[in-house]
Structures are given as C-alpha cells and as structure tokens.
Amino acid sequence: MDATIVCRNPADAREVVATYTAHGPVDVAAMCARAAIAQPHWGGLPGPRRGELLHRAADLLRRRGQQLAQRIVAEEGKLLADASGEVQRAVAVLHFHAGEAERLGGELADAAQAATLAFTRRRPLGVVALITPWNFPIAIPAWKLAPALAAGDAVVIKPSSAAPGAVLELVAVLHEAGVPADVVQVALGGAEVGLALADDPHVRALSFTGSTAVGRQLAQRVRGRVRFQGELGGNNPLVVLADADPARAVALACEGAFAAAGQKCTATRRLIVERPVYETMLAAFAERARELVLGAGVTEGVQVPPLIDAGAVESVLDAVAQARAHGAAVLSGGERANGELRYGSFIAPTVLAEVRPGMRVIDEEVFGPVCAVQCARDFDEAIALANAVPYGLSASICTNDLQRAFEFVERSDAGMVHVNRPTPGGDPHMPFGGLKDSSASGWREQGAEAVRFFTEQQTIYLHHGGAR
Ligand code: NAD
C-alpha cells in the first residue's frame, strides 16, 4: 500500500495543509533509470542553451513568488517575509547558475610539445541525487539543482517529507521552462527513499544537506562508490567583545538566535561575551528575547514563528530541561507557548546562562530558539570557547577593533566568519559550507565553486600542426 505524507500547519497542528503519496524504492530505481537515459542529450546541449532554460525558470519562479511563499509558510511555518525572501533567493540562484552554464570553461596553455595546445574541460557526471532538509524548502534545493543542471547532469531530488511542496513547484517550473521531465525528477519519502537513492547504481554523486548524524551515515554508506557532499549541523558562536556597540550586539544576537525560531543551520546557538560587559549584555539580551512576538508566519507583526512540528518542540525542551537539571539558569522562555498558540509548535525565545560542557546546548546542535550565553575572561578565552565544539559552520564577532576582528577570522574554526553581522546569512555568488563536523566533505556549495562537485575534469592535448 502507498504511504501517505501528511503535512500539518506548524502554527496549528489541527489543520492538514497537504497530503502526498510517498514513493518507494522501486519508483526510485525507475526514476534513476529514466534519468540515465535522458542525461546524455541534456549534457550534450551547449551550456548556454541550458543556461537559457534556467534563466527562463527563474523568471517563471519570480512571477509565482507570492503564491509559493504562502505554500512555504503553510507547510514549513516561517514568516511570510522570510518565505518571500527565500523564493527570491532561489530566483537569484537560478540566474547565477544560468550564467555559470555559459562559463563552463577550463584552462588553456601551450603544451610542452610544439604545435600543440593543452586545455581542460568540465563535463557532467551523469545522474546525481540530491537530499534536502525542510528548513529552507526552496533555497537549498535550488542551490543544488541549479549547478547540477547547469553542469549537464540529470537529477533525482528527495526533499524532506516535512515540507516537500516547494520542491514540487520548483521542479514543475523547471519543466515548464523546458527542462525535460526525466532530467529532473522528485522522489518523495523518508529515509527509505533516501537510502534507495544512495544505493542506486546509476547515481554518480550524492549531495546531502541535513543533520550531522544522517550525513555521516550516508557518507559511510556511499564511500568509495559515489561522490559525496554533506552540509550538516552547526553550533554557531557570536562573540561580543567589551568594546562592541551594545545595541548592535543585542540586535545581532536576537536576529541570529531567534529569527525563523532558530531553525537555521547557521543560527546563533551560543553567545560568548567578554567579562566586563557580560552581566549587562545578558540582561539586555534576555529582556529583548522576552519582548519578541510569537505567532503564525502569516500574521502581521510576528517576529518568531513556530517550530516545524511537535517532535521538534519535544527535542528542544528536552535539551533545555537537561541544561536546567545540570545547573543552567533560564532567563527567558524555556517553555511551550500557551493560550491561542497551544495548537502550534511554539517555544518562547529561550536564553540560558550558567551553561557548561556536558549540556546538550553546548555539545550538540539544538535546532530551535535557544541561545546559551557564556562568559569569557578575555579575547583568547572567547576564541577558545567559540572553537570548543565539534562543529564549525558559522561564527561571528561583534567589535569595533579591526585587529581583533581579523585575528578572530584567522583563529576561528568556522567555514564562514562574519564581523558585526549575525551568524546566518550569505550571498548566492559566494561559497557556502562548514568545517569540522559541519561538513562531510571539502566540497563547497553556491558560487562558482558549486558546479565543481557536479562535474569531472578532462585534460586535452591537441596537436594542430600549426606554427607554434
Ligand atoms: P535530517 O538529517 O533529519 O533530514 C535531511 C534529509 O535527509 C531529509 O530529506 C530526510 O528525509 C533525509 N533522511 C533522513 N534520514 C535519512 C536516512 N537514514 N537516509 C537517507 N536520507 C535520510 O535533517 P532535517 O531535520 O531535515 O534538517 C535539519 C538539519 O539540517 C539541521 O541539523 C541543520 O543544521 C541541517 N542543515 C544544514 C545546512 C547546511 O548547509 N549546513 C542547511 C540547512 C539545514
């Protein structure tokens, strides 16, 4: 019997917003086989022709922006403004990689032999698989799909069952723009479908974004057989030095920790404050956290949306309870919202102090609106605390001291470092990815780097018999 995927409104779980029929391993095998047949023609098109179709898809997507943003809010729960921004991000990503399809160049040099040119070219891998999380239900799929298609690969993508609607719409738009149906296909389902993709003999590369645990498991499973890219979890620090502008520091901490209810891989999980300003910063941050307005993503004036589902609420509250049991102080939040919001997956923005290793909020990624505040004796200890976790996705420092800012960049173990900016954020034309346990490979997503993962390189020597 076919399994059904049921998506409920994160702001009110009584409301079913969509149902989908899940695929099974047999469907996945058929999709990969069809992709393998379709890919040579697609990969054989001139890059600029593929680019033209990606530009067209971007334009179609822009026109559907509002409707798509509403579907994202209904399934995933984020604020409508954030969902609109995410769709626009997907549009920008498609345009960027449409341009990259025109620039799929290589190196050119004189060969050592006379009258011979040496050059390189990138060619598609063939069939690639993409597995994506729910928290950016269109931007992350777009930033994997666009470079894969620009490269000339055929793609089977498996979105998260928690919010698959945006990927279905994105792929429909690609088809409408002229990308052949078998060149980009969607497999719906959970782990079983993901594993079927990882195991399929047609798949040459697997690009995964999600939790560190699943990413590691997949990396192990495909090792030596399939090229693997894994962008995983984070436990990202924002360091505030004593000289920082206090208002700016509080604003950066609130945005980083509580926007999207902390459900960003790059969200600020730890706030590390230099001792002279620790007490005042902690009080101001907790006060601001208590003022933030919780509510449904569609409601005007709301600042913090719901978590994805009741399971996420349980997991986050467990981590808070564990920290509390080990001596943490809860300065704001730490509990489920009640009243009108009790039917949704709401947790009030939570600020914890007196935290230490051994608590999940310090050692692991707690995927919700929870920020642990740590006191650093001085700059050196702030850097040591920032780096003292297995993750290394994003880090930020708030200071007016340029020398220290640069020293922080130099000594930070994060793949992305910000100065006087929140820990989340990045541009579609710049590489994105983590270090340490935040990445399961050295490959980078986004920017000009992205297409490398989806291609292989050839070096050609052409003896042309000419004068040189
Ligand atoms: P998840 O790891 O639970 O799931 C990610 C995807 O993998 C989903 O499509 C899921 O269905 C699939 N999956 C789950 N188990 C699988 C298995 N055993 N085999 C194959 N596929 C499987 O993550 P999530 O809850 O969807 O997303 C949140 C996580 O993603 C957080 O850890 C967050 O930090 C991370 N994330 C990382 C980045 C980044 O770029 N580093 C970006 C966004 C989210």
Side-chain angles (χ1 to χ4, degrees), residues 271-300:
L271 180 63
I272 299 166
V273 188
E274 244 190 328
R275 183 169 287 156
V277 293
Y278 173 77
E279 293 295 342
T280 48
M281 179 73 200
L282 179 62
F285 179 45
E287 188 184 337
R288 182 71 64 81
R290 286 190 290 266
E291 290 165 2
L292 293 171
V293 180
L294 257 71
V298 284
T299 308
E300 197 82 19

PDB file of all heavy atoms in Angstrom, residues 271-300:
ATOM      1  N   LEU A 271      26.187  32.586  22.712  1.00  0.00           N
ATOM      2  CA  LEU A 271      26.600  33.987  22.767  1.00  0.00           C
ATOM      3  C   LEU A 271      27.739  34.050  23.781  1.00  0.00           C
ATOM      4  O   LEU A 271      27.545  33.710  24.954  1.00  0.00           O
ATOM      5  CB  LEU A 271      25.411  34.840  23.223  1.00  0.00           C
ATOM      6  CG  LEU A 271      25.641  36.336  23.336  1.00  0.00           C
ATOM      7  CD1 LEU A 271      25.968  36.943  21.973  1.00  0.00           C
ATOM      8  CD2 LEU A 271      24.391  37.010  23.905  1.00  0.00           C
ATOM      9  N   ILE A 272      28.907  34.440  23.316  1.00  0.00           N
ATOM     10  CA  ILE A 272      30.100  34.433  24.174  1.00  0.00           C
ATOM     11  C   ILE A 272      30.491  35.887  24.424  1.00  0.00           C
ATOM     12  O   ILE A 272      30.822  36.611  23.476  1.00  0.00           O
ATOM     13  CB  ILE A 272      31.237  33.650  23.475  1.00  0.00           C
ATOM     14  CG1 ILE A 272      30.793  32.198  23.240  1.00  0.00           C
ATOM     15  CG2 ILE A 272      32.518  33.716  24.301  1.00  0.00           C
ATOM     16  CD1 ILE A 272      31.671  31.427  22.276  1.00  0.00           C
ATOM     17  N   VAL A 273      30.403  36.300  25.678  1.00  0.00           N
ATOM     18  CA  VAL A 273      30.547  37.730  25.987  1.00  0.00           C
ATOM     19  C   VAL A 273      31.764  37.959  26.876  1.00  0.00           C
ATOM     20  O   VAL A 273      31.965  37.249  27.875  1.00  0.00           O
ATOM     21  CB  VAL A 273      29.274  38.253  26.703  1.00  0.00           C
ATOM     22  CG1 VAL A 273      29.330  39.770  26.854  1.00  0.00           C
ATOM     23  CG2 VAL A 273      28.017  37.849  25.941  1.00  0.00           C
ATOM     24  N   GLU A 274      32.564  38.983  26.525  1.00  0.00           N
ATOM     25  CA  GLU A 274      33.726  39.320  27.361  1.00  0.00           C
ATOM     26  C   GLU A 274      33.259  39.813  28.730  1.00  0.00           C
ATOM     27  O   GLU A 274      32.272  40.573  28.816  1.00  0.00           O
ATOM     28  CB  GLU A 274      34.565  40.404  26.675  1.00  0.00           C
ATOM     29  CG  GLU A 274      35.954  39.908  26.303  1.00  0.00           C
ATOM     30  CD  GLU A 274      36.860  41.039  25.843  1.00  0.00           C
ATOM     31  OE1 GLU A 274      36.379  42.018  25.252  1.00  0.00           O
ATOM     32  OE2 GLU A 274      38.066  40.924  26.086  1.00  0.00           O
ATOM     33  N   ARG A 275      33.994  39.407  29.742  1.00  0.00           N
ATOM     34  CA  ARG A 275      33.548  39.611  31.127  1.00  0.00           C
ATOM     35  C   ARG A 275      33.078  41.022  31.469  1.00  0.00           C
ATOM     36  O   ARG A 275      32.012  41.167  32.097  1.00  0.00           O
ATOM     37  CB  ARG A 275      34.634  39.152  32.108  1.00  0.00           C
ATOM     38  CG  ARG A 275      34.197  39.280  33.553  1.00  0.00           C
ATOM     39  CD  ARG A 275      35.111  38.604  34.521  1.00  0.00           C
ATOM     40  NE  ARG A 275      34.986  37.157  34.476  1.00  0.00           N
ATOM     41  CZ  ARG A 275      35.934  36.322  34.863  1.00  0.00           C
ATOM     42  NH1 ARG A 275      37.077  36.787  35.298  1.00  0.00           N
ATOM     43  NH2 ARG A 275      35.751  35.033  34.822  1.00  0.00           N
ATOM     44  N   PRO A 276      33.808  42.103  31.068  1.00  0.00           N
ATOM     45  CA  PRO A 276      33.375  43.441  31.526  1.00  0.00           C
ATOM     46  C   PRO A 276      31.941  43.791  31.137  1.00  0.00           C
ATOM     47  O   PRO A 276      31.303  44.592  31.816  1.00  0.00           O
ATOM     48  CB  PRO A 276      34.365  44.392  30.838  1.00  0.00           C
ATOM     49  CG  PRO A 276      35.542  43.549  30.490  1.00  0.00           C
ATOM     50  CD  PRO A 276      35.051  42.153  30.285  1.00  0.00           C
ATOM     51  N   VAL A 277      31.436  43.203  30.029  1.00  0.00           N
ATOM     52  CA  VAL A 277      30.072  43.576  29.612  1.00  0.00           C
ATOM     53  C   VAL A 277      29.095  42.401  29.754  1.00  0.00           C
ATOM     54  O   VAL A 277      27.948  42.487  29.308  1.00  0.00           O
ATOM     55  CB  VAL A 277      30.048  44.119  28.164  1.00  0.00           C
ATOM     56  CG1 VAL A 277      30.785  45.442  28.085  1.00  0.00           C
ATOM     57  CG2 VAL A 277      30.634  43.122  27.163  1.00  0.00           C
ATOM     58  N   TYR A 278      29.556  41.309  30.386  1.00  0.00           N
ATOM     59  CA  TYR A 278      28.729  40.092  30.429  1.00  0.00           C
ATOM     60  C   TYR A 278      27.374  40.322  31.099  1.00  0.00           C
ATOM     61  O   TYR A 278      26.317  40.014  30.529  1.00  0.00           O
ATOM     62  CB  TYR A 278      29.505  38.973  31.132  1.00  0.00           C
ATOM     63  CG  TYR A 278      28.671  37.729  31.378  1.00  0.00           C
ATOM     64  CD1 TYR A 278      28.392  36.844  30.335  1.00  0.00           C
ATOM     65  CD2 TYR A 278      28.144  37.447  32.639  1.00  0.00           C
ATOM     66  CE1 TYR A 278      27.616  35.719  30.533  1.00  0.00           C
ATOM     67  CE2 TYR A 278      27.364  36.323  32.854  1.00  0.00           C
ATOM     68  CZ  TYR A 278      27.102  35.464  31.803  1.00  0.00           C
ATOM     69  OH  TYR A 278      26.331  34.362  32.003  1.00  0.00           O
ATOM     70  N   GLU A 279      27.378  40.877  32.292  1.00  0.00           N
ATOM     71  CA  GLU A 279      26.117  40.999  33.053  1.00  0.00           C
ATOM     72  C   GLU A 279      25.120  41.899  32.318  1.00  0.00           C
ATOM     73  O   GLU A 279      23.936  41.558  32.197  1.00  0.00           O
ATOM     74  CB  GLU A 279      26.376  41.572  34.462  1.00  0.00           C
ATOM     75  CG  GLU A 279      27.177  40.646  35.382  1.00  0.00           C
ATOM     76  CD  GLU A 279      26.429  39.345  35.722  1.00  0.00           C
ATOM     77  OE1 GLU A 279      25.193  39.285  35.545  1.00  0.00           O
ATOM     78  OE2 GLU A 279      27.106  38.383  36.157  1.00  0.00           O
ATOM     79  N   THR A 280      25.598  43.044  31.820  1.00  0.00           N
ATOM     80  CA  THR A 280      24.666  43.969  31.152  1.00  0.00           C
ATOM     81  C   THR A 280      24.153  43.380  29.841  1.00  0.00           C
ATOM     82  O   THR A 280      22.972  43.504  29.505  1.00  0.00           O
ATOM     83  CB  THR A 280      25.321  45.343  30.855  1.00  0.00           C
ATOM     84  OG1 THR A 280      26.579  45.111  30.245  1.00  0.00           O
ATOM     85  CG2 THR A 280      25.477  46.180  32.096  1.00  0.00           C
ATOM     86  N   MET A 281      25.052  42.714  29.129  1.00  0.00           N
ATOM     87  CA  MET A 281      24.655  42.124  27.838  1.00  0.00           C
ATOM     88  C   MET A 281      23.628  41.007  28.069  1.00  0.00           C
ATOM     89  O   MET A 281      22.618  40.911  27.364  1.00  0.00           O
ATOM     90  CB  MET A 281      25.925  41.568  27.173  1.00  0.00           C
ATOM     91  CG  MET A 281      25.717  40.912  25.858  1.00  0.00           C
ATOM     92  SD  MET A 281      25.378  42.090  24.533  1.00  0.00           S
ATOM     93  CE  MET A 281      24.629  40.996  23.371  1.00  0.00           C
ATOM     94  N   LEU A 282      23.877  40.171  29.066  1.00  0.00           N
ATOM     95  CA  LEU A 282      22.971  39.059  29.367  1.00  0.00           C
ATOM     96  C   LEU A 282      21.576  39.602  29.704  1.00  0.00           C
ATOM     97  O   LEU A 282      20.558  39.116  29.180  1.00  0.00           O
ATOM     98  CB  LEU A 282      23.529  38.246  30.537  1.00  0.00           C
ATOM     99  CG  LEU A 282      22.700  37.057  30.997  1.00  0.00           C
ATOM    100  CD1 LEU A 282      22.568  36.031  29.873  1.00  0.00           C
ATOM    101  CD2 LEU A 282      23.336  36.406  32.234  1.00  0.00           C
ATOM    102  N   ALA A 283      21.533  40.633  30.556  1.00  0.00           N
ATOM    103  CA  ALA A 283      20.238  41.201  30.970  1.00  0.00           C
ATOM    104  C   ALA A 283      19.515  41.805  29.772  1.00  0.00           C
ATOM    105  O   ALA A 283      18.302  41.590  29.582  1.00  0.00           O
ATOM    106  CB  ALA A 283      20.463  42.253  32.064  1.00  0.00           C
ATOM    107  N   ALA A 284      20.247  42.555  28.933  1.00  0.00           N
ATOM    108  CA  ALA A 284      19.608  43.218  27.785  1.00  0.00           C
ATOM    109  C   ALA A 284      19.110  42.184  26.767  1.00  0.00           C
ATOM    110  O   ALA A 284      18.023  42.333  26.196  1.00  0.00           O
ATOM    111  CB  ALA A 284      20.602  44.169  27.128  1.00  0.00           C
ATOM    112  N   PHE A 285      19.894  41.140  26.562  1.00  0.00           N
ATOM    113  CA  PHE A 285      19.528  40.102  25.597  1.00  0.00           C
ATOM    114  C   PHE A 285      18.275  39.358  26.072  1.00  0.00           C
ATOM    115  O   PHE A 285      17.321  39.147  25.311  1.00  0.00           O
ATOM    116  CB  PHE A 285      20.721  39.150  25.428  1.00  0.00           C
ATOM    117  CG  PHE A 285      20.503  38.003  24.489  1.00  0.00           C
ATOM    118  CD1 PHE A 285      19.906  38.185  23.244  1.00  0.00           C
ATOM    119  CD2 PHE A 285      20.916  36.714  24.837  1.00  0.00           C
ATOM    120  CE1 PHE A 285      19.731  37.110  22.374  1.00  0.00           C
ATOM    121  CE2 PHE A 285      20.742  35.646  23.972  1.00  0.00           C
ATOM    122  CZ  PHE A 285      20.137  35.847  22.740  1.00  0.00           C
ATOM    123  N   ALA A 286      18.256  38.999  27.351  1.00  0.00           N
ATOM    124  CA  ALA A 286      17.098  38.259  27.884  1.00  0.00           C
ATOM    125  C   ALA A 286      15.847  39.133  27.836  1.00  0.00           C
ATOM    126  O   ALA A 286      14.749  38.655  27.499  1.00  0.00           O
ATOM    127  CB  ALA A 286      17.389  37.806  29.315  1.00  0.00           C
ATOM    128  N   GLU A 287      16.026  40.419  28.139  1.00  0.00           N
ATOM    129  CA  GLU A 287      14.869  41.319  28.108  1.00  0.00           C
ATOM    130  C   GLU A 287      14.299  41.414  26.698  1.00  0.00           C
ATOM    131  O   GLU A 287      13.085  41.304  26.485  1.00  0.00           O
ATOM    132  CB  GLU A 287      15.287  42.708  28.613  1.00  0.00           C
ATOM    133  CG  GLU A 287      14.104  43.630  28.787  1.00  0.00           C
ATOM    134  CD  GLU A 287      14.538  45.040  29.195  1.00  0.00           C
ATOM    135  OE1 GLU A 287      15.636  45.196  29.750  1.00  0.00           O
ATOM    136  OE2 GLU A 287      13.756  45.972  28.924  1.00  0.00           O
ATOM    137  N   ARG A 288      15.204  41.582  25.706  1.00  0.00           N
ATOM    138  CA  ARG A 288      14.750  41.666  24.327  1.00  0.00           C
ATOM    139  C   ARG A 288      14.075  40.361  23.887  1.00  0.00           C
ATOM    140  O   ARG A 288      13.052  40.370  23.206  1.00  0.00           O
ATOM    141  CB  ARG A 288      15.929  41.991  23.401  1.00  0.00           C
ATOM    142  CG  ARG A 288      15.536  42.135  21.948  1.00  0.00           C
ATOM    143  CD  ARG A 288      14.727  43.399  21.684  1.00  0.00           C
ATOM    144  NE  ARG A 288      15.534  44.579  21.946  1.00  0.00           N
ATOM    145  CZ  ARG A 288      16.422  45.071  21.073  1.00  0.00           C
ATOM    146  NH1 ARG A 288      16.565  44.524  19.912  1.00  0.00           N
ATOM    147  NH2 ARG A 288      17.143  46.125  21.380  1.00  0.00           N
ATOM    148  N   ALA A 289      14.635  39.232  24.327  1.00  0.00           N
ATOM    149  CA  ALA A 289      14.059  37.927  23.947  1.00  0.00           C
ATOM    150  C   ALA A 289      12.624  37.810  24.462  1.00  0.00           C
ATOM    151  O   ALA A 289      11.737  37.306  23.768  1.00  0.00           O
ATOM    152  CB  ALA A 289      14.925  36.793  24.505  1.00  0.00           C
ATOM    153  N   ARG A 290      12.396  38.330  25.684  1.00  0.00           N
ATOM    154  CA  ARG A 290      11.049  38.241  26.273  1.00  0.00           C
ATOM    155  C   ARG A 290      10.044  39.104  25.531  1.00  0.00           C
ATOM    156  O   ARG A 290       8.847  38.870  25.581  1.00  0.00           O
ATOM    157  CB  ARG A 290      11.090  38.642  27.763  1.00  0.00           C
ATOM    158  CG  ARG A 290      11.731  37.581  28.661  1.00  0.00           C
ATOM    159  CD  ARG A 290      11.529  37.896  30.136  1.00  0.00           C
ATOM    160  NE  ARG A 290      12.310  39.042  30.558  1.00  0.00           N
ATOM    161  CZ  ARG A 290      13.529  38.986  31.104  1.00  0.00           C
ATOM    162  NH1 ARG A 290      14.102  37.810  31.318  1.00  0.00           N
ATOM    163  NH2 ARG A 290      14.173  40.071  31.454  1.00  0.00           N
ATOM    164  N   GLU A 291      10.564  40.138  24.831  1.00  0.00           N
ATOM    165  CA  GLU A 291       9.658  41.057  24.115  1.00  0.00           C
ATOM    166  C   GLU A 291       9.253  40.552  22.735  1.00  0.00           C
ATOM    167  O   GLU A 291       8.335  41.084  22.117  1.00  0.00           O
ATOM    168  CB  GLU A 291      10.346  42.420  23.919  1.00  0.00           C
ATOM    169  CG  GLU A 291      10.512  43.211  25.197  1.00  0.00           C
ATOM    170  CD  GLU A 291      11.501  44.366  25.025  1.00  0.00           C
ATOM    171  OE1 GLU A 291      12.013  44.563  23.904  1.00  0.00           O
ATOM    172  OE2 GLU A 291      11.761  45.044  26.020  1.00  0.00           O
ATOM    173  N   LEU A 292       9.972  39.569  22.214  1.00  0.00           N
ATOM    174  CA  LEU A 292       9.705  39.131  20.835  1.00  0.00           C
ATOM    175  C   LEU A 292       8.310  38.520  20.732  1.00  0.00           C
ATOM    176  O   LEU A 292       7.848  37.831  21.646  1.00  0.00           O
ATOM    177  CB  LEU A 292      10.774  38.119  20.381  1.00  0.00           C
ATOM    178  CG  LEU A 292      12.181  38.702  20.227  1.00  0.00           C
ATOM    179  CD1 LEU A 292      13.206  37.602  19.984  1.00  0.00           C
ATOM    180  CD2 LEU A 292      12.227  39.728  19.088  1.00  0.00           C
ATOM    181  N   VAL A 293       7.667  38.780  19.600  1.00  0.00           N
ATOM    182  CA  VAL A 293       6.268  38.354  19.418  1.00  0.00           C
ATOM    183  C   VAL A 293       6.220  37.024  18.673  1.00  0.00           C
ATOM    184  O   VAL A 293       6.735  36.897  17.558  1.00  0.00           O
ATOM    185  CB  VAL A 293       5.490  39.424  18.614  1.00  0.00           C
ATOM    186  CG1 VAL A 293       4.039  39.004  18.407  1.00  0.00           C
ATOM    187  CG2 VAL A 293       5.568  40.769  19.315  1.00  0.00           C
ATOM    188  N   LEU A 294       5.601  36.038  19.308  1.00  0.00           N
ATOM    189  CA  LEU A 294       5.426  34.712  18.692  1.00  0.00           C
ATOM    190  C   LEU A 294       4.114  34.668  17.925  1.00  0.00           C
ATOM    191  O   LEU A 294       3.135  35.282  18.345  1.00  0.00           O
ATOM    192  CB  LEU A 294       5.312  33.660  19.801  1.00  0.00           C
ATOM    193  CG  LEU A 294       6.517  32.777  20.094  1.00  0.00           C
ATOM    194  CD1 LEU A 294       7.575  33.625  20.745  1.00  0.00           C
ATOM    195  CD2 LEU A 294       6.123  31.625  20.979  1.00  0.00           C
ATOM    196  N   GLY A 295       4.089  33.888  16.869  1.00  0.00           N
ATOM    197  CA  GLY A 295       2.815  33.708  16.187  1.00  0.00           C
ATOM    198  C   GLY A 295       2.988  33.029  14.841  1.00  0.00           C
ATOM    199  O   GLY A 295       4.097  32.643  14.452  1.00  0.00           O
ATOM    200  N   ALA A 296       1.860  32.905  14.141  1.00  0.00           N
ATOM    201  CA  ALA A 296       1.864  32.248  12.826  1.00  0.00           C
ATOM    202  C   ALA A 296       2.616  33.107  11.820  1.00  0.00           C
ATOM    203  O   ALA A 296       2.591  34.345  11.901  1.00  0.00           O
ATOM    204  CB  ALA A 296       0.435  32.024  12.361  1.00  0.00           C
ATOM    205  N   GLY A 297       3.252  32.444  10.866  1.00  0.00           N
ATOM    206  CA  GLY A 297       4.061  33.146   9.867  1.00  0.00           C
ATOM    207  C   GLY A 297       3.286  34.128   9.024  1.00  0.00           C
ATOM    208  O   GLY A 297       3.868  35.074   8.476  1.00  0.00           O
ATOM    209  N   VAL A 298       1.973  33.922   8.907  1.00  0.00           N
ATOM    210  CA  VAL A 298       1.165  34.821   8.081  1.00  0.00           C
ATOM    211  C   VAL A 298       0.689  36.058   8.849  1.00  0.00           C
ATOM    212  O   VAL A 298       0.154  36.990   8.249  1.00  0.00           O
ATOM    213  CB  VAL A 298      -0.100  34.103   7.524  1.00  0.00           C
ATOM    214  CG1 VAL A 298       0.254  33.180   6.384  1.00  0.00           C
ATOM    215  CG2 VAL A 298      -0.855  33.381   8.633  1.00  0.00           C
ATOM    216  N   THR A 299       0.877  36.056  10.175  1.00  0.00           N
ATOM    217  CA  THR A 299       0.312  37.149  10.982  1.00  0.00           C
ATOM    218  C   THR A 299       1.250  38.346  11.013  1.00  0.00           C
ATOM    219  O   THR A 299       2.441  38.214  11.327  1.00  0.00           O
ATOM    220  CB  THR A 299       0.046  36.652  12.428  1.00  0.00           C
ATOM    221  OG1 THR A 299      -0.723  35.464  12.346  1.00  0.00           O
ATOM    222  CG2 THR A 299      -0.701  37.689  13.240  1.00  0.00           C
ATOM    223  N   GLU A 300       0.693  39.482  10.685  1.00  0.00           N
ATOM    224  CA  GLU A 300       1.437  40.756  10.688  1.00  0.00           C
ATOM    225  C   GLU A 300       2.045  41.004  12.073  1.00  0.00           C
ATOM    226  O   GLU A 300       1.380  40.770  13.087  1.00  0.00           O
ATOM    227  CB  GLU A 300       0.439  41.870  10.356  1.00  0.00           C
ATOM    228  CG  GLU A 300       1.035  43.178   9.932  1.00  0.00           C
ATOM    229  CD  GLU A 300       1.405  43.183   8.449  1.00  0.00           C
ATOM    230  OE1 GLU A 300       0.896  42.340   7.672  1.00  0.00           O
ATOM    231  OE2 GLU A 300       2.200  44.033   8.093  1.00  0.00           O
TER     232      GLU A 300
END
